[in-house]
Structure formats: structure tokens, C-alpha cells
């Protein structure tokens, strides 16, 4: 599901090009840009983002368990150390994975922009918009953002009032897990939302350049 194929390379210099004519060069530019737009909003990248977020969620659960174990003291201390180590094993790879995910997205965006500047002619292929893929990213990302905001707000509110789940007192471990869960869902949603909206704005602005502007003052029948 997650593509391991290399990305199309950046455009060569005009002197290095091997196209027989201008039409062939523009056709290759359009094809490469469509491929890059699809790779940037692919299902594989979206699933990779969700898996990274899920790994972080489990890591925050381990953090909450560790804090609860330390609060209990006694025999809970060794369990807390183990849970804390497990949290590090989960959260550190999640952070590294998110960094690689963002880096690949930046490379795709930079190559799209480089190919767009490669020729003065406007881009006319409507597939560049990748509207279906943008919607596929947008809807679940908005949902994750809403759930994340709700969970974060609830955790902050209940931590301030001292109650979680209808109980009178909230443990530090429960609060840490609730906050970690809410923030992770919110960040995961934003990481999916921003590329979708940004690509739509960028592609629509690029495609609008190819639409002829009608000016008034012409003859009418």
C-alpha cells in the first residue's frame, strides 16, 4: 500500500534536456507533475501518517501507566520503569517517523514547484488538482482535529476541576494520557489537513493561469 518507488527527479537544465521539441517537453512536465501530486496525496502516505499517530497514542498510554505506577509506589516502581522505557521505545520512533514523513512531503512539494517553473507555458492538466485524493485526506483529517480538540479541552477541564470519568479525583497518569491522546489526534489531523488544503490552493492558482480572461468591450451579436 505504501509506495517505495523513487520519486520523479527534479527538472534538468534546458541544456541537459533530451526532448525532440517543446511539445514533448511540456508533455513530460505535465506527466511528472501529475505523478508527484498523486504521490503527495497518496493513500499510502495517509496510512503512514495514521500509523505514526497510532504509535504515539500507544506511547502516551505507556506514559500514563508509568506515572500511575510511580504514584502507587512500592512494587509499582519497577513496573513504572518498564512502562516508561516502553513509552520511549514507542514515542521516539513516532517522532522520527513524523520527521521523515514531513521531509518527504517537502521534497514532493519542492519538485512540483520546480517543474511548474520549468517552462513559461501554463499547466492545463486538470488531474494536477487531485481533487478526489484531497477529499480523501481532508475529511478524516478534519474529524481527527475535532476529536483531538474535544479530548484536549476535556482533559484540561477535568484536570482543573479534579474529576475524570465522573470520579472526584483525577490521577496525574490519567491526565497525561488524556492530554497526550488529544494532542496526538489534533496534530495528526493537522498534518493531514494542511497538505490537502495547500495543494488545492496551489493547484487551482496554477491551473487558473491557463484559463483565458475575457475582457469586455467586444462586439455582440
Amino acid at each position: 500500500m505504501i509506495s517505495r518507488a523513487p520519486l520523479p527527479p527534479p527538472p534538468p537544465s534546458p541544456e541537459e534536456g533530451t526532448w525532440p521539441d517543446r511539445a514533448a517537453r511540456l508533455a513530460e512536465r505535465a506527466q511528472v507533475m501529475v505523478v508527484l501530486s498523486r504521490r503527495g496525496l497518496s493513500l499510502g502516505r495517509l496510512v503512514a501518517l495514521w500509523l505514526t499517530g497510532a504509535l504515539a497514542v500507544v506511547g502516551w498510554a505507556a506514559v500514563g501507566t508509568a506515572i500511575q505506577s510511580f504514584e502507587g509506589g512500592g512494587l509499582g516502581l519497577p513496573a513504572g520503569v518498564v512502562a516508561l522505557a516502553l513509552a520511549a521505545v514507542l514515542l521516539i520512533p513516532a517522532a522520527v517517523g513524523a520527521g521523515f514523513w514531513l521531509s518527504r512531503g517537502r521534497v514532493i512539494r519542492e519538485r512540483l514547484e520546480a517543474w511548474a517553473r520549468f517552462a513559461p507555458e501554463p499547466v492545463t492538466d486538470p488531474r494536477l488538482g487531485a481533487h478526489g485524493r484531497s477529499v480523501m485526506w481532508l475529511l478524516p483529517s478534519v474529524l481527527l482535529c475535532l476529536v483531538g480538540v474535544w479530548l484536549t479541552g476535556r482533559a484540561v477541564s477535568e484536570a482543573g476541576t479534579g474529576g475524570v470519568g465522573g470520579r472526584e479525583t483525577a490521577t496525574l497518569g490519567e491526565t497525561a494520557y488524556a492530554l497526550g491522546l488529544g494532542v496526538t489526534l489534533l496534530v495528526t489531523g493537522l498534518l493531514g489537513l494542511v497538505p490537502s488544503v495547500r495543494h488545492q490552493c496551489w493547484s487551482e492558482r496554477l491551473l487558473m493561469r491557463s484559463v483565458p480572461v475575457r475582457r469586455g468591450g467586444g462586439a455582440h451579436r
Side-chain angles (χ1 to χ4, degrees):
M1 181 179 294
I2 301 176
S3 176
R4 298 182 181 274
L7 294 172
S13 63
E15 295 78 12
E16 297 175 348
T18 58
W19 303 278
D21 51 34
R22 178 177 294 271
R25 182 177 69 172
L26 294 179
E28 181 174 348
R29 179 183 73 154
Q31 181 180 3
V32 170
M33 292 184 71
V34 168
V35 171
L36 285 172
S37 65
R38 288 176 174 175
R39 295 286 293 277
L41 295 175
S42 67
L43 178 59
R45 271 181 54 78
L46 185 60
V47 170
L49 174 62
W50 291 346
L51 291 176
T52 302
L55 191 65
V57 166
V58 178
W60 279 110
V63 170
T65 301
I67 294 176
Q68 286 181 326
S69 299
F70 291 142
E71 287 179 329
L75 296 178
L77 294 178
V81 172
V82 173
L84 196 60
L86 178 61
V89 169
L90 293 170
L91 289 175
I92 292 176
V96 173
F100 278 114
W101 190 89
L102 289 169
S103 176
R104 187 171 181 83
R106 183 173 61 252
V107 170
I108 294 175
R109 187 170 64 254
E110 290 174 350
R111 292 189 183 182
L112 269 172
E113 294 174 351
W115 278 100
R117 297 189 302 265
F118 180 60
E121 289 82 1
V123 181
T124 59
D125 196 327
R127 295 178 299 171
L128 181 63
H131 299 298
R133 294 172 181 264
S134 294
V135 172
M136 178 183 68
W137 278 56
L138 182 65
L139 296 181
S141 298
V142 170
L143 180 60
L144 284 177
C145 287
L146 294 176
V147 174
V149 169
W150 178 76
L151 287 175
T152 302
R154 181 184 177 187
V156 172
S157 174
E158 292 179 340
T161 58
V164 173
R167 291 183 297 162
E168 295 182 355
T169 58
T171 66
L172 184 59
E174 290 172 337
T175 302
Y177 172 64
L179 283 174
L181 175 61
V183 171
T184 298
L185 292 181
L186 177 59
V187 171
T188 302
L190 288 174
L191 289 178
L193 176 66
V194 171
S196 173
V197 174
R198 180 169 52 200
H199 181 80
Q200 283 299 295
C201 295
W202 176 81
S203 62
E204 288 180 6
R205 185 172 63 250
L206 196 65
L207 291 170
M208 281 297 294
R209 297 176 186 173
S210 64
V211 178
V213 179
R214 293 189 175 182
R215 303 182 181 276
H220 299 277
R221 292 185 179 179

